[in-house]
Amino acid sequence: MKLVTVVGARPQFIKAAALSRVIEKDPCVEELIINTGQHFDASMSKVFFDQLGIRPAAYDLGIHSLSHGAMTGRMLEAVESVLLSEKPDCLLVYGDTNSTIAGALAAKKLHIPVAHVEAGLRSFNSKMPEEVNRVLTDHLSDWLFCPTEASVKNLEKEGITGKERVRLVGDVMYDVSRYYSRKSSVPLIEGQYVLCTLHRAENTESPQRLKAIVSALNQLSKCYKIVLPLHPRTRKKMDSTGLQFEFETLAPADYMQMINYLSYCEFVLTDSGGVQKEAYFFSKPCLTMRDETEWVELLDEGVNQLVGADEKRICQAALSVKSGDYDFSSRLYGSGDAASKILESLLK
Ligand code: UD1
């Protein structure tokens, strides 16, 4: 079986690592990676290939820093041309980025079956570019690999059903985190701290939301040490709006640093989808700086709380988080074998 995998953004490199590892052990499968180039800083891209042992991309498209339409359009055209010459049996995409929808659409129009990993997630906020990307990708896909029960139900409500088409496999990010957490040992940051990430368009592109979050973090930095590896998009926004953190931020973290920060932090404050789950994998409570989340089971479990971009809510929740009692024992994201299950399904 010849597989073409399309990746382009940081979380996709991490997810692809789980599958690449099982594919490598199977002589019946040939995998070619197309890296769209959406994330291009070495700290957002190359370091993950190196650290997670992902095979080098066969095609580096170098497409980034464009408006959504221009970026997606150029990716569509470039992926199509690779698919025409490689003629794979299947195209594999991950998550909800512009690279995901571009890959899926290019393949579908060429009648190449599409497999979508992390299918069925919904925020029900159609203003998020990620929501548009994931809904369209799911509807285009021939095989949908769901990480959670809620994601299977979301697809059902949209008429996407069938044992052959939709499969609950667990979360590939859990596979990766289990594999690498065994290798993490001494804390990189001394003392107690809160791990924070901030990059979502809905927060960084809205001056009011960004200002409220920055004020909240500045206030909290008087009581907590805040470890914030800053996404390039947020750094750019801070520079252009003149907002400032009153504490030192860090460069984007690589994967091993990130799981070290997660292992030893007090709790997590984030607007990332992936980091919400990683907090759970590492048994840390999480405050999510968004108005909704796709990972609803974390809310039901009581280990994640939505705090929006509201300065008061963020501060109040952060100041009371330590006193809570949290249970991380339910296996919400499978058993760490999602990648093997996906490969087994594809081979069938
Ligand atoms: C993208 C995904 C989002 C995912 C996130 C993970 C879409 C619509 N969004 O958002 O789902 O959670 O990746 O990080 O696909 N930039 C750099 N250096 C880089 C990467 C980006 O300077 O290495 C700049 C870009 O030039 C752009 C901005 O950051 O100005 C945003 O990058 P973009 O890829 O559009 O979106 P992300 O916010 O990273």
Side-chain angles (χ1 to χ4, degrees), residues 38-41 65 96-98 130 199 231 233 236:
Q38 181 170 350
H39 283 176
F40 54 97
D41 285 355
S65 309
D96 56 21
T97 70
N98 292 337
E130 292 86 355
H199 82 277
H231 190 293
R233 134 181 251 149
K236 276 187 202 165

Side-chain angles (χ1 to χ4, degrees), residues 278-296:
E278 286 173 332
Y280 176 80
F281 301 157
F282 289 88
S283 302
K284 306 294 174 175
C286 181
L287 301 177
T288 300
M289 297 182 288
R290 290 177 53 194
D291 300 325
E292 69 278 305
T293 178
E294 300 77 25
W295 305 103
V296 287

Side-chain angles (χ1 to χ4, degrees), residues 45-249:
S45 171
K46 184 177 179 306
V47 69
F48 292 91
F49 278 84
D50 295 347
Q51 209 167 54
L52 304 181
I54 310 167
R55 83 192 70 238
Y59 296 89
D60 262 310
L61 306 181
I63 301 167
H64 56 77
S65 309
L66 296 161
S67 65
H68 282 278
M71 189 196 286
T72 314
R74 281 184 210 176
M75 287 175 183
L76 177 64
E77 191 175 4
V79 172
E80 177 182 64
S81 115
V82 174
L83 296 178
L84 282 169
S85 67
E86 293 291 349
K87 300 187 178 46
D89 299 303
C90 174
L91 177 117
L92 194 59
V93 286
Y94 294 92
D96 56 21
T97 70
N98 292 337
S99 305
T100 312
I101 180 63
L105 188 53
K108 195 66 189 174
K109 294 248 176 139
L110 294 174
H111 305 165
I112 295 166
V114 177
H116 184 204
V117 177
E118 207 180 70
L121 294 205
R122 297 291 181 266
S123 66
F124 302 102
N125 174 358
S126 60
K127 290 202 170 132
M128 285 175 69
E130 292 86 355
E131 182 76 353
V132 178
N133 292 340
R134 55 171 93 97
V135 171
L136 293 176
T137 304
D138 281 341
H139 283 264
L140 286 174
S141 293
D142 297 272
W143 298 299
L144 298 98
F145 297 108
C146 296
T148 58
E149 308 222 352
S151 55
V152 175
K153 285 196 189 122
N154 287 337
L155 292 176
E156 231 169 70
K157 284 185 203 141
E158 292 173 24
I160 305 176
T161 53
K163 261 204 330 240
E164 298 295 310
R165 191 172 178 208
V166 179
R167 199 168 161 206
L168 176 61
V169 290
D171 195 318
V172 286
M173 281 185 73
Y174 183 46
D175 296 19
V176 186
S177 107
R178 260 173 56 126
Y179 184 81
Y180 285 96
S181 57
R182 291 184 207 125
K183 304 186 174 180
S184 168
S185 51
V186 191
L188 292 172
I189 308 273
E190 275 177 39
Q192 296 195 325
Y193 62 90
V194 177
L195 176 61
C196 180
T197 77
L198 172 63
H199 82 277
R200 279 275 161 204
E202 75 221 55
N203 286 333
T204 56
E205 303 308 292
S206 152
Q208 295 91 329
R209 289 181 74 95
L210 187 61
K211 189 164 173 242
I213 292 174
V214 172
S215 298
L217 296 181
N218 283 339
Q219 271 200 52
L220 287 173
S221 70
K222 297 185 178 115
C223 330
Y224 293 113
K225 178 169 183 164
I226 296 185
V227 170
L228 171 52
L230 207 56
H231 190 293
R233 134 181 251 149
T234 317
R235 188 170 298 284
K236 276 187 202 165
K237 271 288 153 191
M238 298 289 294
D239 292 346
S240 67
T241 52
L243 287 167
Q244 271 178 350
F245 287 116
E246 289 162 12
F247 55 94
E248 230 171 281
T249 58

Side-chain angles (χ1 to χ4, degrees), residues 13 30 36 65 71 78 93 100 114 189 242 271 303 306 323 333:
F13 306 138
E30 181 195 352
T36 62
S65 309
M71 189 196 286
V93 286
T100 312
V114 177
I189 308 273
D271 62 359
V303 295
L306 295 176
S323 53
Y333 298 102

